[in-house]
């Protein structure tokens, strides 16, 4: 069950979808309300994201009532076509509401998180864990080249997306 936000402020909801899971973060100012990975049930891939993932995001919007939904920018992305279809479906879902949608590229995230050296998801996760020490215990080990990406990094990337949105809102 998703905890209900007790305050009346409008947080930022960030979503980082993968084919097997969705990383989410809810950020209000400097306070991280929620950060987790939602593993999707075993069902055929298009339905896994488009049904389960969409219902999950809809529930998050209902519970947290964010001022903005942040997604990764899919432009020339090498992400799965299923993930791209999911992001399109979420944008269409939100289009019927007053919720603003923002999309940020890897370059935007790198600029805000100030990750040094080679830019990858693990380095983003380390930078986010330094900023929010309560997440340090969830930090996955560095990825070996022969292993798939640990899905926990999607939660850290969602936090990075939320921080990017927050930074861009301040500059407006």
């Amino acid at each position: 069950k998703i905890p209900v936000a007790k305050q009346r402020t409008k947080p930022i909801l960030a979503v980082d979808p993968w084919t097997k899971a969705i990383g989410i973060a809810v950020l209000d100012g400097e306070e991280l309300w929620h950060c987790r990975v939602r593993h999707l049930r075993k069902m055929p891939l298009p339905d896994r994201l488009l049904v389960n993932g969409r219902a999950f995001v809809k529930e998050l919007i209902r519970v947290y009532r964010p001022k903005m939904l942040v997604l990764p920018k899919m432009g020339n992305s090498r992400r799965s076509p299923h993930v791209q279809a999911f992001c399109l479906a979420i944008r269409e879902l939100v289009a019927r509401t007053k919720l603003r949608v923002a999309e940020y590229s890897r370059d935007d995230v790198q600029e805000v998180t100030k990750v040094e050296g080679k830019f990858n998801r693990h380095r983003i996760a380390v930078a986010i864990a330094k900023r929010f020490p309560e997440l340090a215990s969830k930090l996955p080990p560095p990825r070996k080249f022969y292993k798939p990406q640990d899905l926990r990094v999607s939660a850290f990337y969602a936090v990075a997306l939320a921080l990017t949105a927050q930074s861009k809102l301040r500059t407006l």
Side-chain angles (χ1 to χ4, degrees), residues 117-131:
K118 186 177 178 186
F119 182 72
N120 62 35
R121 285 185 177 251
H122 181 72
R123 289 193 183 197
I124 292 171
V126 170
I128 297 300
K130 285 180 183 173
R131 183 154 182 178

Side-chain angles (χ1 to χ4, degrees), residues 89-109:
I90 293 302
R91 281 195 304 274
E92 289 171 357
L93 170 76
V94 173
R96 292 179 241 143
T97 69
K98 294 180 181 177
L99 184 61
R100 288 176 42 192
V101 177
E103 295 179 330
Y104 295 105
S105 66
R106 287 175 52 98
D107 293 338
D108 295 330
V109 172

